[in-house]
Amino acid sequence: MLSTPTPTPTAILDPSLIPSNATYLSPPPLRTPKYEKTLAMIKPDAMENAAVICKGLLKAGFDVLAKKRLCLTRLEAREFLSNPSSSSSTLADDTNPTIENLTNGILEIMILGCIDATAKLQQFLPREVAIHVSENVYEAAREIKFFFPDEDLNTIEQTTPSMAVEYLQRTIFPHLEPALRSLCHEKPQYPVVSSTPRDFDGTDKCDM
C-alpha cells in the first residue's frame, strides 16, 4: 500500500514563498507600570476610622508620602471642588452639599504612592461620601498641588519598599521559584561528599 508523503514544515516556512509586498502588524508596545502619586482625603464623617483606613492603605502596598490634618473654609472647599477646565464658572456652586461635608470638621489629607496609584486606589477605596479619591492622574496632580503646593509631582527616583516588592513579584519571583524547584529535583554534577578541605590531588590537608 502506497503512503502519501507528508509535506515537511520547511516547505511551508520557505522565505521565497512569502510575497515581497507582504506587510506585518507589530504588536502594540507594552505599557510600563509607573510609580505615581495620588491624593486621598478622609472627610470629617470618617475621621474616627482614620487610623484603620491608613493601616489598610499600608497593608495594600501604598506608601504614605505626606499627610496633614486641616479644616477648610467654604471658599477653599469651593476652590477645591471647582473644575478648572470648565468655562461656565470659576468656583463650585456654594449650594453644593459636598461643601458642607468638607467644612464641618477636620480632614486628613494624604499623598499616596505606588505603581499606578490612582487606579489602584479607586479599586481599594471606591468613591463614597466619607472618603475622597482622585478621579484620574490629572485630577490627582491638581489636588496634590492644592494641598501641598511644594510637592514635586515627577516620578520618584528612589526605590521605596512597595516598589521593590512589586518589582520582585513581577520580574524575579516568576522565574526564581520554578528554577529553585527544578534545582531541588536535580542531582548536582559534583556533589559535596566531605567538608574536609582537600588539595587538587584529593588528599586531606589535615593529614599533611
Side-chain angles (χ1 to χ4, degrees), residues 81-101:
L81 294 174
S82 296
N83 185 355
S85 62
S86 174
S87 58
S88 58
S89 62
T90 56
L91 293 177
D93 189 349
D94 197 44
T95 60
N96 189 329
T98 308
I99 292 179
E100 187 67 32
N101 187 254

Side-chain angles (χ1 to χ4, degrees), residues 6-202:
T6 304
T8 60
T10 53
I12 300 174
L13 300 178
D14 187 350
S16 64
L17 300 178
I18 301 175
S20 59
N21 60 347
T23 57
Y24 303 92
L25 295 176
S26 58
L30 295 176
R31 178 180 175 273
T32 304
K34 242 176 102 177
Y35 189 90
E36 295 175 352
K37 296 179 182 180
T38 193
L39 184 128
M41 176 197 297
I42 303 176
K43 298 179 184 179
D45 295 344
M47 280 300 294
E48 60 182 9
N49 298 317
V52 176
I53 294 172
C54 290
K55 186 176 179 180
L57 290 169
L58 292 172
K59 189 174 180 180
F62 290 94
D63 301 313
V64 179
L65 305 175
K67 181 166 63 170
K68 65 168 66 172
R69 291 188 175 188
L70 51 80
C71 294
L72 288 180
T73 65
R74 295 186 72 85
L75 177 59
E76 289 170 335
R78 290 175 64 195
E79 291 175 347
F80 175 72
L81 294 174
S82 296
N83 185 355
S85 62
S86 174
S87 58
S88 58
S89 62
T90 56
L91 293 177
D93 189 349
D94 197 44
T95 60
N96 189 329
T98 308
I99 292 179
E100 187 67 32
N101 187 254
L102 290 177
T103 56
N104 66 357
I106 298 175
L107 304 165
E108 182 156 310
I109 318 292
M110 293 176 286
I111 300 177
L112 304 176
C114 75
I115 301 295
D116 291 337
T118 302
K120 184 175 178 179
L121 184 60
Q122 288 177 346
Q123 295 174 358
F124 182 75
L125 288 177
R127 289 176 63 86
E128 54 181 87
V129 175
I131 302 170
H132 171 83
V133 176
S134 298
E135 291 184 357
N136 52 58
V137 292
Y138 306 105
E139 277 297 291
R142 183 186 72 83
E143 293 172 356
I144 288 173
K145 279 297 183 183
F146 184 88
F147 290 108
F148 302 87
D150 299 327
E151 183 68 20
D152 182 8
L153 296 178
N154 292 327
T155 303
I156 295 177
E157 298 296 336
Q158 69 268 25
T159 302
T160 61
S162 67
M163 288 176 67
V165 170
E166 196 141 2
Y167 174 80
L168 290 172
Q169 291 176 340
R170 180 165 39 88
T171 61
I172 304 299
F173 292 162
H175 304 286
L176 181 62
E177 187 175 353
L180 291 176
R181 291 192 182 193
S182 175
L183 189 62
C184 290
H185 296 290
E186 186 176 320
K187 183 178 179 180
Q189 186 176 1
Y190 301 103
V192 177
V193 294
S194 173
S195 59
T196 304
R198 294 177 181 271
D199 284 326
F200 290 108
D201 59 3

